[in-house]
Amino acid sequence: MPKIRKKTTIAIVGLGYVGLPLTILAAKSGIIVYGLDKDKEKIRLLQNRKNYLSDAGLTRDLEKVIGEKKLIPATHFSILKKCQAILICLPTPVYKNFKPDLRILKNAAGKIGPYLKKGSLVINESTVAIGTTREILGKILEKKSGLKMGQDFYLACSPERVDPGTANKTENIAKLIGGINEQSGRRAYQIYQKFIKAPLEIVASLEIAEGAKMLENSYRALNIALVNELALLCEKINLDVTAIIAAASTKWSFQAHWPSLGTGGHCIPVDPHYLTDLARDKGVTMKSLEAGMATNHQMPLRFAAKIVKAYKKGMRILIYGLAYKKNIKDLRESPSLTVCRLLQKRKVSFQVYDPFYATQEIRALGFTPGRVKKGIYDLVVIATDHDTLQKDAAKIISKNTVVLDGKNYFQKKVGKKVIGVGRTL
Ligand SMILES: NC(=O)c1ccc[n+]([C@@H]2O[C@H](COP(=O)([O-])OP(=O)(O)OC[C@H]3O[C@@H](n4cnc5c(N)ncnc54)[C@H](O)[C@@H]3O)[C@@H](O)[C@H]2O)c1
C-alpha cells in the first residue's frame, strides 16, 4: 500500500449531522482537520468551541480538538491546498417533484477542483445515485483542476451510515469504501484506518459503494411502506398491526419494521428517489419502490385527516414533538411538521411542544407553544416519541384526553382512547 505522510491533514466539506461528528472523530485521532462549511454562523460557533448539534455527547471532544487546533473551522475553499484528502459530506436533497437536486454537490465540486493537486484524494460521503461520484463529481473535478481522476488524483466513495441520536455512530458502523481504481480505494482506506475502529470494507468500485447505500435505504423505505399499508388494512378490520408484527418477528427470516405517522429525515423519504430516478432514466420502472414511497409520503396526510375527524370545535389540542425522530433536534422532512401545516390549512387550532425547541423557536415556525401541564388538553397527538414522553405522558394526558398516537408509543390504553396507526387501544 502507498505510504501516507506522517502528519496527515484532511478537510471535511459540510459540517452538518454527518460532517461534524466525522470531523471531531478524525481530529481526536491526531489528524489535522479543516472543517469547511459555507454557514458562517456554524463556523463562528465552532471557533467559540460551541456544539450546534443536539448530540450533547460531542461537546467535550469538540472543545478539546478546537482548543488543541486539531480541528480548524474554515469557510474558504483555499484551505484545501494544505490537505491530502478531502471528504465531502454535503446535502443531497430532492426537488418538490422528488427529482434529485445535486446543485449543492455540483457547486462545491466546482470550488474544490481548482485546489486539487497530483496525489490529492477526494472521498464522497454524501448519498448519491449509482454513477454520480464518477460521472458528475469526478468530471467536474477534472474540468476544474485540469487533472485526470484515477490517474492524477484519487477518487473514492464511502457512503455515511450514521443514525443521529442513536448509538449507531460512525466509529462503530462498518464502513464501505469504493474507489475509482484499486489505488484510490486503498488510499481512502489508509485515511479512515487512522480514525475509524469499525471494520472498513473495500468494495469493487465506486458504484458498488453507492449502490449499497441506495439499496440499504430503499430496503428500509419499502419495508416501512409494507407495514404502513398493513396498518391501513388493520384499521378497517379492527386488528392491532403491532401485534401482528410482533408475532411475525418470531420467525428467523423476518425483520420487523413499524408503521407510523410518516418517515422523516434526510435519508428514508429522500434517498430511494435517487434510485428510482436513475432506474427510470435507464428505462426501468422500480414500481414497488415508487409505490412504497408514495404510500410513505401519504402517511402524514392520512394522520392529519384522523386528527381533523377527532376534532370538535373548542377542543384544546397539543402536538407533542416536532422533530422527525426521537431525541434529536432535526426538522428535515418531519412528518409532524407536515401534519401541523395541514392542520393550520384546515383551521384547526393547536399548540406544539417539543423538548428540543424553545418556545421562541416554536413561535418562529408559526405555531403556538404548548405546555407540559395536567388537565389542559382534550386531544394529545404523539408525533415524536422523545424519551421525555416517559415522564411527560402522565402530565399531558388526563382520563378524558383522546390520544392520537402517531408512533404507537403506548402499550395500553391511556386517557379516554388511544387511536394509533393500525390500532386503537
Ligand atoms: N443526517 C443523516 O442521518 C445522514 C445519514 C447518512 C447519510 N447522510 C447523507 O450525508 C449527506 C450530508 O447530510 P447531513 O445530514 O450531514 O446534511 P446537513 O444538512 O446536516 O449538513 C450539510 C452541511 O453542509 C453545509 N453546506 C451546504 N452547502 C455547502 C457548500 N456549498 N459548501 C460548504 N458547505 C456547505 C451546510 O451548511 C451544512 O452544515 C447527505 O448526502 C445525506 O443524505 C445523512
Side-chain angles (χ1 to χ4, degrees):
M1 275 193 195
K3 281 257 175 311
I4 297 273
R5 273 176 288 151
K6 219 170 170 201
K7 192 178 146 222
T8 307
T9 304
I10 68 169
I12 295 184
V13 184
L15 302 178
Y17 290 93
V18 165
L20 184 60
L22 191 71
T23 302
I24 295 169
L25 191 63
K28 258 170 56 178
S29 76
I31 296 178
I32 305 295
V33 190
Y34 285 93
L36 189 72
D37 203 286
K38 67 158 195 190
D39 186 334
K40 293 200 171 94
E41 178 57 12
K42 281 186 178 168
I43 296 300
R44 191 189 64 78
L45 287 167
L46 289 179
Q47 283 162 341
N48 290 304
R49 305 181 193 192
K50 294 264 183 315
N51 173 17
Y52 48 78
L53 293 181
S54 50
D55 183 352
L58 292 172
T59 306
R60 192 185 292 183
D61 286 337
L62 186 150
E63 288 168 354
K64 188 164 185 286
V65 291
I66 297 263
E68 289 171 352
K69 296 201 168 22
K70 294 272 166 38
L71 164 52
I72 306 159
T75 50
H76 203 278
F77 282 76
S78 58
I79 53 97
L80 299 181
K81 280 191 283 204
K82 304 177 189 171
C83 302
Q84 290 136 269
I86 300 157
L87 279 63
I88 298 175
C89 303
L90 290 167
T92 45
V94 285
Y95 289 104
K96 275 211 167 91
N97 64 1
F98 301 120
K99 298 283 280 178
D101 176 359
L102 288 175
R103 283 175 298 178
I104 297 171
L105 193 66
K106 286 180 180 171
N107 179 284
K111 290 182 179 159
I112 295 168
Y115 297 106
L116 292 188
K117 45 189 185 283
K118 282 204 169 192
S120 296
L121 164 67
V122 179
I123 308 176
N124 176 36
E125 289 233 357
S126 295
T127 306
V128 289
I130 302 164
T132 309
T133 305
R134 185 191 302 265
E135 296 300 328
I136 296 179
L137 179 63
K139 288 204 169 139
I140 298 174
L141 294 175
E142 278 190 333
K143 194 168 162 213
K144 295 287 175 177
S145 65
L147 300 171
K148 273 224 96 26
M149 56 178 144
Q151 201 173 299
D152 299 323
F153 68 91
Y154 302 102
L155 183 63
C157 172
S158 182
E160 181 54 70
R161 293 163 144 179
V162 69
D163 187 10
T166 71
N168 297 321
K169 300 192 188 300
T170 307
E171 57 264 46
N172 50 34
I173 310 168
K175 194 153 181 55
L176 299 180
I177 302 168
I180 195 164
N181 51 19
E182 209 187 329
Q183 283 279 40
S184 294
R186 286 188 180 175
R187 200 87 177 162
Y189 181 97
Q190 284 183 310
I191 292 286
Y192 285 127
Q193 205 182 27
K194 288 179 180 290
F195 64 96
I196 293 180
K197 298 284 168 277
L200 299 173
E201 190 79 35
I202 299 186
V203 296
S205 66
L206 291 171
E207 288 75 13
I208 298 291
E210 292 168 330
K213 177 74 186 179
M214 288 284 103
L215 176 61
E216 289 159 22
N217 283 358
S218 299
Y219 170 86
R220 199 163 146 65
L222 197 47
N223 278 290
I224 291 171
L226 177 64
V227 289
N228 278 338
E229 287 172 3
L230 185 65
L232 300 178
L233 172 64
C234 284
E235 286 174 10
K236 295 282 181 207
I237 58 178
N238 212 11
L239 267 183
D240 181 342
V241 70
T242 62
I244 296 180
I245 297 169
S249 300
T250 59
K251 190 181 176 195
W252 53 269
S253 60
F254 185 82
Q255 192 186 13
H257 290 77
W258 304 95
S260 75
L261 79 163
T263 55
H266 197 343
C267 296
I268 306 305
V270 174
D271 300 348
H273 290 297
Y274 275 71
L275 186 58
T276 55
D277 183 75
L278 169 71
R280 274 196 179 258
D281 209 44
K282 301 292 174 195
V284 176
T285 311
M286 298 185 79
K287 282 190 207 148
S288 51
L289 187 53
E290 287 186 6
M293 290 302 282
T295 295
N296 292 346
H297 291 315
Q298 280 288 317
M299 293 308 283
L301 282 64
R302 290 178 185 274
F303 192 71
K306 274 188 199 173
I307 302 172
V308 173
K309 195 171 164 207
Y311 174 71
K312 291 188 186 62
K313 212 167 171 14
M315 255 188 177
R316 294 158 304 171
I317 303 181
L318 177 71
I319 310 285
Y320 190 97
L322 263 186
Y324 83 85
K325 71 170 178 186
K326 67 173 171 180
N327 305 333
I328 60 165
K329 186 179 182 181
D330 189 347
L331 289 181
R332 291 176 302 172
E333 316 295 327
S334 168
S336 174
L337 205 54
T338 308
V339 167
C340 290
R341 300 271 182 243
L342 287 166
L343 293 181
Q344 281 181 322
K345 271 197 189 147
R346 298 295 299 268
K347 308 261 183 267
V348 173
S349 61
F350 60 90
Q351 297 184 356
V352 175
Y353 175 80
D354 187 305
F356 286 84
Y357 292 84
T359 50
Q360 61 270 29
E361 290 176 300
I362 289 175
R363 273 202 195 92
L365 288 163
F367 307 130
T368 307
R371 282 180 300 157
V372 172
K373 201 172 167 211
K374 216 169 177 73
I376 51 177
Y377 298 107
D378 308 302
L379 203 158
V380 168
V381 176
I382 306 301
T384 317
D385 49 350
H386 291 303
D387 286 348
T388 47
L389 195 50
Q390 269 166 36
K391 61 176 177 41
D392 293 342
K395 294 184 195 150
I396 53 176
I397 298 165
S398 313
K399 71 175 184 340
N400 289 325
T401 314
V402 174
V403 179
L404 273 144
D405 186 358
K407 289 287 183 180
N408 290 336
Y409 173 83
F410 292 105
Q411 297 312 311
K412 52 181 197 271
K413 188 182 149 193
V414 290
K416 194 172 170 186
K417 191 180 194 184
V418 179
I419 304 167
V421 182
R423 68 172 186 179
T424 297
L425 301 174

